[in-house]
Amino acid sequence: PRCSKDLVGTMWWAATSVVGVSAFLGRLAWAERSRRQRGSHGSSSSSSGSSRRKSRMLFEACVDSVESGIMAELGGAKRLELCANLVDGGVTPSLGTYRVLSEQVQLPINILIRPRGGDFLYSDLEMKVMERDIEAFKAAGANGVVIGCLNQDGTVDEQSCRKLIQAARPMSVTFHRAFDVSKDPLEALQACKRMGVDHILTSGQRASAGDPEAKRLIRRLVDASEGKVSIIAGGGVSLGNIQEIVKDTGVRECHGTAGRVTVPSEMLYRPEPPLFMGGEKRNTVDTEFVTKRISSERLAAFVAAMESMQASED
């Protein structure tokens, strides 16, 4: 069982580490929390070893709220990927959201580790953010993390990924849909195998995993994985194509939001004219290759404008 391996690995680590008894107890607590959270679903491909044998089919629900996580468990999902801001393809959720969700469901919860929308080429500061987030969610008892870093040329950034994987273990590690914008998917698969990644989430480098070309690629990935990494079909998975995707690709796991429903607000007061929070997102060919950040020069102009007014008052 996974939990037994976790405990054995934990005891060996403690015996050979200079960190000492307190760190050992922390890892022991992590293993126990993960065991409770996985419950009866703990064998569902949460380790690379389980993917070597033919497993039962599994649907992983992508959720961005506690309520969605609860509904996903009621609907029969076997694992959750928790994120925030699905409009941008998902970013790291708050620790508070994870803690409350973990109190409400028994399913294993994997955490998306992505500091922003846009591309997957990360700065040193963004790497530090991701490492700190991983440490926090591991300490809180999360089942796994979902990561992915690319180099400028579209290859997998193995050096950066290995740092995140090292921070994450013994949690499960999934390589997310950065895979779908990598230059060579078969080489990206080999990189994931070298790094010991447990799962790869992919839409077959198309908008939908149900696209004929996407299914052909996913089939090749399943065959080339050699049971060393579990391929998860995700992106554009619908009730109308899920059976076809599984049949044509050979995947045992699918991922998606399962056709989310719109829930009206209970607010009675509505301002007129309507006031919108945030900007409207319009996808273009460059959408995933730009980010927005503060300009110190522009901000300085705002500060100067206010300071000039302050000076006139003084």
Side-chain angles (χ1 to χ4, degrees), residues 183-221:
K183 181 169 63 175
D184 183 337
L186 292 177
E187 174 51 37
L189 169 63
Q190 295 306 316
C192 287
K193 288 164 70 174
R194 287 192 294 269
M195 296 186 296
V197 167
D198 301 303
H199 310 273
I200 294 173
L201 175 62
T202 178
S203 64
Q205 297 204 322
R206 294 290 186 272
S208 170
D211 180 281
E213 286 296 322
K215 289 189 293 182
R216 279 191 280 273
L217 174 57
I218 295 172
R219 174 82 257 182
R220 292 177 66 193
L221 294 170

PDB file of all heavy atoms in Angstrom, residues 183-221:
ATOM      1  N   LYS A 183       7.492  21.793 -27.306  1.00  0.00           N
ATOM      2  CA  LYS A 183       7.828  21.694 -28.733  1.00  0.00           C
ATOM      3  C   LYS A 183       7.707  20.275 -29.253  1.00  0.00           C
ATOM      4  O   LYS A 183       7.218  20.046 -30.360  1.00  0.00           O
ATOM      5  CB  LYS A 183       9.245  22.220 -28.965  1.00  0.00           C
ATOM      6  CG  LYS A 183       9.695  22.201 -30.420  1.00  0.00           C
ATOM      7  CD  LYS A 183      10.985  22.985 -30.625  1.00  0.00           C
ATOM      8  CE  LYS A 183      12.134  22.380 -29.866  1.00  0.00           C
ATOM      9  NZ  LYS A 183      13.421  23.075 -30.162  1.00  0.00           N
ATOM     10  N   ASP A 184       8.143  19.300 -28.483  1.00  0.00           N
ATOM     11  CA  ASP A 184       8.162  17.904 -28.917  1.00  0.00           C
ATOM     12  C   ASP A 184       7.534  17.061 -27.812  1.00  0.00           C
ATOM     13  O   ASP A 184       8.181  16.782 -26.802  1.00  0.00           O
ATOM     14  CB  ASP A 184       9.599  17.458 -29.187  1.00  0.00           C
ATOM     15  CG  ASP A 184       9.687  16.031 -29.719  1.00  0.00           C
ATOM     16  OD1 ASP A 184       8.753  15.241 -29.484  1.00  0.00           O
ATOM     17  OD2 ASP A 184      10.710  15.707 -30.373  1.00  0.00           O
ATOM     18  N   PRO A 185       6.282  16.637 -27.969  1.00  0.00           N
ATOM     19  CA  PRO A 185       5.598  15.929 -26.882  1.00  0.00           C
ATOM     20  C   PRO A 185       6.240  14.600 -26.504  1.00  0.00           C
ATOM     21  O   PRO A 185       6.232  14.225 -25.330  1.00  0.00           O
ATOM     22  CB  PRO A 185       4.179  15.724 -27.429  1.00  0.00           C
ATOM     23  CG  PRO A 185       4.313  15.828 -28.916  1.00  0.00           C
ATOM     24  CD  PRO A 185       5.408  16.822 -29.144  1.00  0.00           C
ATOM     25  N   LEU A 186       6.801  13.891 -27.464  1.00  0.00           N
ATOM     26  CA  LEU A 186       7.424  12.610 -27.133  1.00  0.00           C
ATOM     27  C   LEU A 186       8.713  12.813 -26.343  1.00  0.00           C
ATOM     28  O   LEU A 186       9.019  12.050 -25.421  1.00  0.00           O
ATOM     29  CB  LEU A 186       7.679  11.807 -28.406  1.00  0.00           C
ATOM     30  CG  LEU A 186       6.402  11.322 -29.110  1.00  0.00           C
ATOM     31  CD1 LEU A 186       6.732  10.589 -30.396  1.00  0.00           C
ATOM     32  CD2 LEU A 186       5.574  10.424 -28.188  1.00  0.00           C
ATOM     33  N   GLU A 187       9.469  13.857 -26.673  1.00  0.00           N
ATOM     34  CA  GLU A 187      10.655  14.173 -25.883  1.00  0.00           C
ATOM     35  C   GLU A 187      10.249  14.692 -24.507  1.00  0.00           C
ATOM     36  O   GLU A 187      10.911  14.402 -23.499  1.00  0.00           O
ATOM     37  CB  GLU A 187      11.527  15.200 -26.598  1.00  0.00           C
ATOM     38  CG  GLU A 187      12.710  15.706 -25.782  1.00  0.00           C
ATOM     39  CD  GLU A 187      13.568  14.613 -25.169  1.00  0.00           C
ATOM     40  OE1 GLU A 187      13.768  13.557 -25.822  1.00  0.00           O
ATOM     41  OE2 GLU A 187      14.037  14.798 -24.026  1.00  0.00           O
ATOM     42  N   ALA A 188       9.152  15.465 -24.444  1.00  0.00           N
ATOM     43  CA  ALA A 188       8.659  15.935 -23.146  1.00  0.00           C
ATOM     44  C   ALA A 188       8.259  14.752 -22.266  1.00  0.00           C
ATOM     45  O   ALA A 188       8.483  14.762 -21.054  1.00  0.00           O
ATOM     46  CB  ALA A 188       7.478  16.881 -23.344  1.00  0.00           C
ATOM     47  N   LEU A 189       7.666  13.737 -22.874  1.00  0.00           N
ATOM     48  CA  LEU A 189       7.330  12.514 -22.131  1.00  0.00           C
ATOM     49  C   LEU A 189       8.583  11.867 -21.570  1.00  0.00           C
ATOM     50  O   LEU A 189       8.609  11.453 -20.403  1.00  0.00           O
ATOM     51  CB  LEU A 189       6.591  11.544 -23.046  1.00  0.00           C
ATOM     52  CG  LEU A 189       6.398  10.120 -22.497  1.00  0.00           C
ATOM     53  CD1 LEU A 189       5.540  10.127 -21.245  1.00  0.00           C
ATOM     54  CD2 LEU A 189       5.774   9.214 -23.569  1.00  0.00           C
ATOM     55  N   GLN A 190       9.626  11.766 -22.382  1.00  0.00           N
ATOM     56  CA  GLN A 190      10.866  11.162 -21.907  1.00  0.00           C
ATOM     57  C   GLN A 190      11.454  11.964 -20.750  1.00  0.00           C
ATOM     58  O   GLN A 190      12.000  11.400 -19.793  1.00  0.00           O
ATOM     59  CB  GLN A 190      11.873  11.050 -23.054  1.00  0.00           C
ATOM     60  CG  GLN A 190      11.451  10.100 -24.165  1.00  0.00           C
ATOM     61  CD  GLN A 190      11.115   8.714 -23.654  1.00  0.00           C
ATOM     62  OE1 GLN A 190      11.824   8.142 -22.830  1.00  0.00           O
ATOM     63  NE2 GLN A 190      10.009   8.159 -24.147  1.00  0.00           N
ATOM     64  N   ALA A 191      11.360  13.293 -20.826  1.00  0.00           N
ATOM     65  CA  ALA A 191      11.850  14.133 -19.738  1.00  0.00           C
ATOM     66  C   ALA A 191      11.073  13.844 -18.454  1.00  0.00           C
ATOM     67  O   ALA A 191      11.654  13.745 -17.366  1.00  0.00           O
ATOM     68  CB  ALA A 191      11.730  15.608 -20.110  1.00  0.00           C
ATOM     69  N   CYS A 192       9.763  13.701 -18.572  1.00  0.00           N
ATOM     70  CA  CYS A 192       8.933  13.396 -17.399  1.00  0.00           C
ATOM     71  C   CYS A 192       9.295  12.041 -16.808  1.00  0.00           C
ATOM     72  O   CYS A 192       9.318  11.866 -15.583  1.00  0.00           O
ATOM     73  CB  CYS A 192       7.457  13.450 -17.780  1.00  0.00           C
ATOM     74  SG  CYS A 192       6.819  15.112 -18.061  1.00  0.00           S
ATOM     75  N   LYS A 193       9.581  11.085 -17.668  1.00  0.00           N
ATOM     76  CA  LYS A 193       9.991   9.765 -17.194  1.00  0.00           C
ATOM     77  C   LYS A 193      11.328   9.853 -16.463  1.00  0.00           C
ATOM     78  O   LYS A 193      11.515   9.224 -15.413  1.00  0.00           O
ATOM     79  CB  LYS A 193      10.061   8.784 -18.366  1.00  0.00           C
ATOM     80  CG  LYS A 193       8.692   8.391 -18.908  1.00  0.00           C
ATOM     81  CD  LYS A 193       8.758   7.755 -20.274  1.00  0.00           C
ATOM     82  CE  LYS A 193       9.371   6.399 -20.279  1.00  0.00           C
ATOM     83  NZ  LYS A 193       9.285   5.748 -21.621  1.00  0.00           N
ATOM     84  N   ARG A 194      12.259  10.630 -17.013  1.00  0.00           N
ATOM     85  CA  ARG A 194      13.560  10.782 -16.352  1.00  0.00           C
ATOM     86  C   ARG A 194      13.420  11.409 -14.971  1.00  0.00           C
ATOM     87  O   ARG A 194      14.164  11.074 -14.042  1.00  0.00           O
ATOM     88  CB  ARG A 194      14.492  11.648 -17.208  1.00  0.00           C
ATOM     89  CG  ARG A 194      15.019  10.972 -18.452  1.00  0.00           C
ATOM     90  CD  ARG A 194      16.149  11.762 -19.084  1.00  0.00           C
ATOM     91  NE  ARG A 194      15.730  13.055 -19.610  1.00  0.00           N
ATOM     92  CZ  ARG A 194      15.310  13.265 -20.849  1.00  0.00           C
ATOM     93  NH1 ARG A 194      15.213  12.253 -21.710  1.00  0.00           N
ATOM     94  NH2 ARG A 194      14.971  14.487 -21.256  1.00  0.00           N
ATOM     95  N   MET A 195      12.462  12.332 -14.849  1.00  0.00           N
ATOM     96  CA  MET A 195      12.288  13.045 -13.580  1.00  0.00           C
ATOM     97  C   MET A 195      11.453  12.262 -12.577  1.00  0.00           C
ATOM     98  O   MET A 195      11.333  12.657 -11.426  1.00  0.00           O
ATOM     99  CB  MET A 195      11.638  14.409 -13.835  1.00  0.00           C
ATOM    100  CG  MET A 195      12.485  15.347 -14.657  1.00  0.00           C
ATOM    101  SD  MET A 195      11.770  17.004 -14.809  1.00  0.00           S
ATOM    102  CE  MET A 195      10.249  16.676 -15.721  1.00  0.00           C
ATOM    103  N   GLY A 196      10.840  11.162 -13.022  1.00  0.00           N
ATOM    104  CA  GLY A 196      10.027  10.361 -12.116  1.00  0.00           C
ATOM    105  C   GLY A 196       8.642  10.921 -11.858  1.00  0.00           C
ATOM    106  O   GLY A 196       8.033  10.638 -10.819  1.00  0.00           O
ATOM    107  N   VAL A 197       8.124  11.696 -12.820  1.00  0.00           N
ATOM    108  CA  VAL A 197       6.768  12.249 -12.683  1.00  0.00           C
ATOM    109  C   VAL A 197       5.746  11.110 -12.658  1.00  0.00           C
ATOM    110  O   VAL A 197       5.892  10.115 -13.368  1.00  0.00           O
ATOM    111  CB  VAL A 197       6.488  13.211 -13.861  1.00  0.00           C
ATOM    112  CG1 VAL A 197       5.010  13.561 -13.955  1.00  0.00           C
ATOM    113  CG2 VAL A 197       7.333  14.476 -13.717  1.00  0.00           C
ATOM    114  N   ASP A 198       4.711  11.250 -11.845  1.00  0.00           N
ATOM    115  CA  ASP A 198       3.688  10.208 -11.720  1.00  0.00           C
ATOM    116  C   ASP A 198       2.616  10.286 -12.798  1.00  0.00           C
ATOM    117  O   ASP A 198       2.129   9.248 -13.275  1.00  0.00           O
ATOM    118  CB  ASP A 198       3.019  10.299 -10.342  1.00  0.00           C
ATOM    119  CG  ASP A 198       4.013  10.131  -9.213  1.00  0.00           C
ATOM    120  OD1 ASP A 198       4.703   9.093  -9.183  1.00  0.00           O
ATOM    121  OD2 ASP A 198       4.123  11.046  -8.374  1.00  0.00           O
ATOM    122  N   HIS A 199       2.200  11.508 -13.157  1.00  0.00           N
ATOM    123  CA  HIS A 199       1.125  11.700 -14.130  1.00  0.00           C
ATOM    124  C   HIS A 199       1.496  12.817 -15.100  1.00  0.00           C
ATOM    125  O   HIS A 199       2.219  13.749 -14.740  1.00  0.00           O
ATOM    126  CB  HIS A 199      -0.190  12.095 -13.445  1.00  0.00           C
ATOM    127  CG  HIS A 199      -0.592  11.228 -12.296  1.00  0.00           C
ATOM    128  ND1 HIS A 199      -1.325  10.087 -12.445  1.00  0.00           N
ATOM    129  CD2 HIS A 199      -0.354  11.361 -10.968  1.00  0.00           C
ATOM    130  CE1 HIS A 199      -1.527   9.532 -11.256  1.00  0.00           C
ATOM    131  NE2 HIS A 199      -0.950  10.293 -10.347  1.00  0.00           N
ATOM    132  N   ILE A 200       0.947  12.737 -16.307  1.00  0.00           N
ATOM    133  CA  ILE A 200       1.006  13.838 -17.266  1.00  0.00           C
ATOM    134  C   ILE A 200      -0.423  14.167 -17.670  1.00  0.00           C
ATOM    135  O   ILE A 200      -1.172  13.290 -18.103  1.00  0.00           O
ATOM    136  CB  ILE A 200       1.819  13.472 -18.525  1.00  0.00           C
ATOM    137  CG1 ILE A 200       3.287  13.260 -18.181  1.00  0.00           C
ATOM    138  CG2 ILE A 200       1.681  14.569 -19.587  1.00  0.00           C
ATOM    139  CD1 ILE A 200       4.118  12.734 -19.346  1.00  0.00           C
ATOM    140  N   LEU A 201      -0.794  15.431 -17.521  1.00  0.00           N
ATOM    141  CA  LEU A 201      -2.108  15.901 -17.945  1.00  0.00           C
ATOM    142  C   LEU A 201      -1.974  16.530 -19.324  1.00  0.00           C
ATOM    143  O   LEU A 201      -1.184  17.458 -19.515  1.00  0.00           O
ATOM    144  CB  LEU A 201      -2.647  16.931 -16.951  1.00  0.00           C
ATOM    145  CG  LEU A 201      -3.963  17.621 -17.305  1.00  0.00           C
ATOM    146  CD1 LEU A 201      -5.104  16.605 -17.395  1.00  0.00           C
ATOM    147  CD2 LEU A 201      -4.287  18.706 -16.287  1.00  0.00           C
ATOM    148  N   THR A 202      -2.760  16.045 -20.289  1.00  0.00           N
ATOM    149  CA  THR A 202      -2.615  16.561 -21.651  1.00  0.00           C
ATOM    150  C   THR A 202      -3.922  16.506 -22.428  1.00  0.00           C
ATOM    151  O   THR A 202      -4.739  15.608 -22.227  1.00  0.00           O
ATOM    152  CB  THR A 202      -1.535  15.772 -22.424  1.00  0.00           C
ATOM    153  OG1 THR A 202      -1.446  16.266 -23.763  1.00  0.00           O
ATOM    154  CG2 THR A 202      -1.852  14.276 -22.460  1.00  0.00           C
ATOM    155  N   SER A 203      -4.079  17.487 -23.313  1.00  0.00           N
ATOM    156  CA  SER A 203      -5.196  17.489 -24.262  1.00  0.00           C
ATOM    157  C   SER A 203      -4.713  17.036 -25.632  1.00  0.00           C
ATOM    158  O   SER A 203      -5.399  17.245 -26.628  1.00  0.00           O
ATOM    159  CB  SER A 203      -5.791  18.902 -24.368  1.00  0.00           C
ATOM    160  OG  SER A 203      -4.826  19.805 -24.902  1.00  0.00           O
ATOM    161  N   GLY A 204      -3.527  16.439 -25.667  1.00  0.00           N
ATOM    162  CA  GLY A 204      -2.982  16.008 -26.947  1.00  0.00           C
ATOM    163  C   GLY A 204      -2.534  17.165 -27.815  1.00  0.00           C
ATOM    164  O   GLY A 204      -2.543  17.080 -29.042  1.00  0.00           O
ATOM    165  N   GLN A 205      -2.133  18.263 -27.163  1.00  0.00           N
ATOM    166  CA  GLN A 205      -1.655  19.477 -27.836  1.00  0.00           C
ATOM    167  C   GLN A 205      -2.703  20.070 -28.784  1.00  0.00           C
ATOM    168  O   GLN A 205      -2.368  20.708 -29.776  1.00  0.00           O
ATOM    169  CB  GLN A 205      -0.338  19.214 -28.564  1.00  0.00           C
ATOM    170  CG  GLN A 205       0.795  18.814 -27.612  1.00  0.00           C
ATOM    171  CD  GLN A 205       2.174  19.085 -28.153  1.00  0.00           C
ATOM    172  OE1 GLN A 205       2.438  18.916 -29.330  1.00  0.00           O
ATOM    173  NE2 GLN A 205       3.076  19.509 -27.260  1.00  0.00           N
ATOM    174  N   ARG A 206      -3.955  19.873 -28.460  1.00  0.00           N
ATOM    175  CA  ARG A 206      -5.063  20.490 -29.178  1.00  0.00           C
ATOM    176  C   ARG A 206      -6.009  21.124 -28.156  1.00  0.00           C
ATOM    177  O   ARG A 206      -5.909  20.876 -26.958  1.00  0.00           O
ATOM    178  CB  ARG A 206      -5.829  19.479 -30.040  1.00  0.00           C
ATOM    179  CG  ARG A 206      -5.026  18.907 -31.198  1.00  0.00           C
ATOM    180  CD  ARG A 206      -4.776  19.969 -32.269  1.00  0.00           C
ATOM    181  NE  ARG A 206      -4.130  19.440 -33.454  1.00  0.00           N
ATOM    182  CZ  ARG A 206      -2.824  19.332 -33.637  1.00  0.00           C
ATOM    183  NH1 ARG A 206      -2.001  19.706 -32.654  1.00  0.00           N
ATOM    184  NH2 ARG A 206      -2.325  18.857 -34.759  1.00  0.00           N
ATOM    185  N   ALA A 207      -6.945  21.939 -28.621  1.00  0.00           N
ATOM    186  CA  ALA A 207      -7.889  22.596 -27.709  1.00  0.00           C
ATOM    187  C   ALA A 207      -8.734  21.572 -26.958  1.00  0.00           C
ATOM    188  O   ALA A 207      -9.161  21.815 -25.830  1.00  0.00           O
ATOM    189  CB  ALA A 207      -8.777  23.565 -28.477  1.00  0.00           C
ATOM    190  N   SER A 208      -8.991  20.432 -27.580  1.00  0.00           N
ATOM    191  CA  SER A 208      -9.798  19.389 -26.959  1.00  0.00           C
ATOM    192  C   SER A 208      -9.132  18.036 -27.129  1.00  0.00           C
ATOM    193  O   SER A 208      -8.628  17.704 -28.207  1.00  0.00           O
ATOM    194  CB  SER A 208     -11.194  19.336 -27.589  1.00  0.00           C
ATOM    195  OG  SER A 208     -11.906  18.181 -27.150  1.00  0.00           O
ATOM    196  N   ALA A 209      -9.140  17.251 -26.052  1.00  0.00           N
ATOM    197  CA  ALA A 209      -8.601  15.896 -26.131  1.00  0.00           C
ATOM    198  C   ALA A 209      -9.444  15.017 -27.033  1.00  0.00           C
ATOM    199  O   ALA A 209      -9.019  13.922 -27.405  1.00  0.00           O
ATOM    200  CB  ALA A 209      -8.525  15.293 -24.724  1.00  0.00           C
ATOM    201  N   GLY A 210     -10.641  15.487 -27.391  1.00  0.00           N
ATOM    202  CA  GLY A 210     -11.502  14.730 -28.292  1.00  0.00           C
ATOM    203  C   GLY A 210     -11.203  14.952 -29.757  1.00  0.00           C
ATOM    204  O   GLY A 210     -11.768  14.268 -30.621  1.00  0.00           O
ATOM    205  N   ASP A 211     -10.315  15.886 -30.077  1.00  0.00           N
ATOM    206  CA  ASP A 211      -9.915  16.126 -31.459  1.00  0.00           C
ATOM    207  C   ASP A 211      -9.218  14.874 -32.005  1.00  0.00           C
ATOM    208  O   ASP A 211      -8.421  14.254 -31.303  1.00  0.00           O
ATOM    209  CB  ASP A 211      -8.966  17.324 -31.502  1.00  0.00           C
ATOM    210  CG  ASP A 211      -8.489  17.656 -32.892  1.00  0.00           C
ATOM    211  OD1 ASP A 211      -7.574  16.965 -33.393  1.00  0.00           O
ATOM    212  OD2 ASP A 211      -9.010  18.607 -33.474  1.00  0.00           O
ATOM    213  N   PRO A 212      -9.498  14.476 -33.243  1.00  0.00           N
ATOM    214  CA  PRO A 212      -8.884  13.263 -33.801  1.00  0.00           C
ATOM    215  C   PRO A 212      -7.363  13.263 -33.716  1.00  0.00           C
ATOM    216  O   PRO A 212      -6.751  12.246 -33.355  1.00  0.00           O
ATOM    217  CB  PRO A 212      -9.368  13.252 -35.254  1.00  0.00           C
ATOM    218  CG  PRO A 212     -10.680  13.974 -35.207  1.00  0.00           C
ATOM    219  CD  PRO A 212     -10.497  15.046 -34.183  1.00  0.00           C
ATOM    220  N   GLU A 213      -6.724  14.404 -34.031  1.00  0.00           N
ATOM    221  CA  GLU A 213      -5.271  14.474 -33.941  1.00  0.00           C
ATOM    222  C   GLU A 213      -4.810  14.354 -32.492  1.00  0.00           C
ATOM    223  O   GLU A 213      -3.770  13.734 -32.208  1.00  0.00           O
ATOM    224  CB  GLU A 213      -4.771  15.796 -34.541  1.00  0.00           C
ATOM    225  CG  GLU A 213      -4.834  15.860 -36.046  1.00  0.00           C
ATOM    226  CD  GLU A 213      -3.913  14.827 -36.693  1.00  0.00           C
ATOM    227  OE1 GLU A 213      -2.808  14.589 -36.172  1.00  0.00           O
ATOM    228  OE2 GLU A 213      -4.322  14.250 -37.715  1.00  0.00           O
ATOM    229  N   ALA A 214      -5.572  14.941 -31.584  1.00  0.00           N
ATOM    230  CA  ALA A 214      -5.225  14.859 -30.162  1.00  0.00           C
ATOM    231  C   ALA A 214      -5.286  13.412 -29.688  1.00  0.00           C
ATOM    232  O   ALA A 214      -4.387  12.944 -28.975  1.00  0.00           O
ATOM    233  CB  ALA A 214      -6.177  15.725 -29.340  1.00  0.00           C
ATOM    234  N   LYS A 215      -6.315  12.709 -30.083  1.00  0.00           N
ATOM    235  CA  LYS A 215      -6.459  11.317 -29.650  1.00  0.00           C
ATOM    236  C   LYS A 215      -5.322  10.453 -30.187  1.00  0.00           C
ATOM    237  O   LYS A 215      -4.838   9.550 -29.487  1.00  0.00           O
ATOM    238  CB  LYS A 215      -7.817  10.770 -30.089  1.00  0.00           C
ATOM    239  CG  LYS A 215      -8.992  11.357 -29.306  1.00  0.00           C
ATOM    240  CD  LYS A 215     -10.294  10.659 -29.593  1.00  0.00           C
ATOM    241  CE  LYS A 215     -10.761  10.896 -31.018  1.00  0.00           C
ATOM    242  NZ  LYS A 215     -12.059  10.242 -31.274  1.00  0.00           N
ATOM    243  N   ARG A 216      -4.905  10.727 -31.399  1.00  0.00           N
ATOM    244  CA  ARG A 216      -3.796   9.944 -31.955  1.00  0.00           C
ATOM    245  C   ARG A 216      -2.511  10.182 -31.158  1.00  0.00           C
ATOM    246  O   ARG A 216      -1.752   9.243 -30.887  1.00  0.00           O
ATOM    247  CB  ARG A 216      -3.597  10.289 -33.433  1.00  0.00           C
ATOM    248  CG  ARG A 216      -4.573   9.568 -34.356  1.00  0.00           C
ATOM    249  CD  ARG A 216      -4.180   9.722 -35.807  1.00  0.00           C
ATOM    250  NE  ARG A 216      -4.590  11.017 -36.343  1.00  0.00           N
ATOM    251  CZ  ARG A 216      -5.797  11.248 -36.877  1.00  0.00           C
ATOM    252  NH1 ARG A 216      -6.706  10.281 -36.927  1.00  0.00           N
ATOM    253  NH2 ARG A 216      -6.112  12.440 -37.356  1.00  0.00           N
ATOM    254  N   LEU A 217      -2.260  11.447 -30.786  1.00  0.00           N
ATOM    255  CA  LEU A 217      -1.071  11.744 -30.001  1.00  0.00           C
ATOM    256  C   LEU A 217      -1.165  11.119 -28.615  1.00  0.00           C
ATOM    257  O   LEU A 217      -0.192  10.527 -28.123  1.00  0.00           O
ATOM    258  CB  LEU A 217      -0.869  13.255 -29.883  1.00  0.00           C
ATOM    259  CG  LEU A 217       0.283  13.697 -28.963  1.00  0.00           C
ATOM    260  CD1 LEU A 217       1.598  13.083 -29.399  1.00  0.00           C
ATOM    261  CD2 LEU A 217       0.381  15.208 -28.896  1.00  0.00           C
ATOM    262  N   ILE A 218      -2.308  11.239 -27.968  1.00  0.00           N
ATOM    263  CA  ILE A 218      -2.469  10.671 -26.635  1.00  0.00           C
ATOM    264  C   ILE A 218      -2.261   9.157 -26.666  1.00  0.00           C
ATOM    265  O   ILE A 218      -1.646   8.575 -25.767  1.00  0.00           O
ATOM    266  CB  ILE A 218      -3.845  11.032 -26.038  1.00  0.00           C
ATOM    267  CG1 ILE A 218      -3.943  12.550 -25.825  1.00  0.00           C
ATOM    268  CG2 ILE A 218      -4.070  10.310 -24.711  1.00  0.00           C
ATOM    269  CD1 ILE A 218      -5.319  13.037 -25.420  1.00  0.00           C
ATOM    270  N   ARG A 219      -2.743   8.509 -27.713  1.00  0.00           N
ATOM    271  CA  ARG A 219      -2.529   7.078 -27.878  1.00  0.00           C
ATOM    272  C   ARG A 219      -1.031   6.757 -27.950  1.00  0.00           C
ATOM    273  O   ARG A 219      -0.547   5.812 -27.324  1.00  0.00           O
ATOM    274  CB  ARG A 219      -3.222   6.608 -29.158  1.00  0.00           C
ATOM    275  CG  ARG A 219      -2.971   5.148 -29.551  1.00  0.00           C
ATOM    276  CD  ARG A 219      -3.865   4.212 -28.784  1.00  0.00           C
ATOM    277  NE  ARG A 219      -3.188   3.531 -27.705  1.00  0.00           N
ATOM    278  CZ  ARG A 219      -3.756   2.626 -26.913  1.00  0.00           C
ATOM    279  NH1 ARG A 219      -5.037   2.322 -27.067  1.00  0.00           N
ATOM    280  NH2 ARG A 219      -3.085   2.036 -25.961  1.00  0.00           N
ATOM    281  N   ARG A 220      -0.291   7.575 -28.690  1.00  0.00           N
ATOM    282  CA  ARG A 220       1.162   7.374 -28.800  1.00  0.00           C
ATOM    283  C   ARG A 220       1.828   7.586 -27.444  1.00  0.00           C
ATOM    284  O   ARG A 220       2.767   6.858 -27.087  1.00  0.00           O
ATOM    285  CB  ARG A 220       1.752   8.343 -29.825  1.00  0.00           C
ATOM    286  CG  ARG A 220       1.334   8.076 -31.262  1.00  0.00           C
ATOM    287  CD  ARG A 220       1.917   9.125 -32.195  1.00  0.00           C
ATOM    288  NE  ARG A 220       3.376   9.047 -32.262  1.00  0.00           N
ATOM    289  CZ  ARG A 220       4.147   9.984 -32.804  1.00  0.00           C
ATOM    290  NH1 ARG A 220       3.604  11.109 -33.291  1.00  0.00           N
ATOM    291  NH2 ARG A 220       5.462   9.833 -32.836  1.00  0.00           N
ATOM    292  N   LEU A 221       1.352   8.571 -26.699  1.00  0.00           N
ATOM    293  CA  LEU A 221       1.923   8.839 -25.388  1.00  0.00           C
ATOM    294  C   LEU A 221       1.662   7.685 -24.420  1.00  0.00           C
ATOM    295  O   LEU A 221       2.551   7.292 -23.654  1.00  0.00           O
ATOM    296  CB  LEU A 221       1.353  10.134 -24.816  1.00  0.00           C
ATOM    297  CG  LEU A 221       1.714  11.417 -25.560  1.00  0.00           C
ATOM    298  CD1 LEU A 221       0.879  12.592 -25.034  1.00  0.00           C
ATOM    299  CD2 LEU A 221       3.202  11.733 -25.434  1.00  0.00           C
TER     300      LEU A 221
END
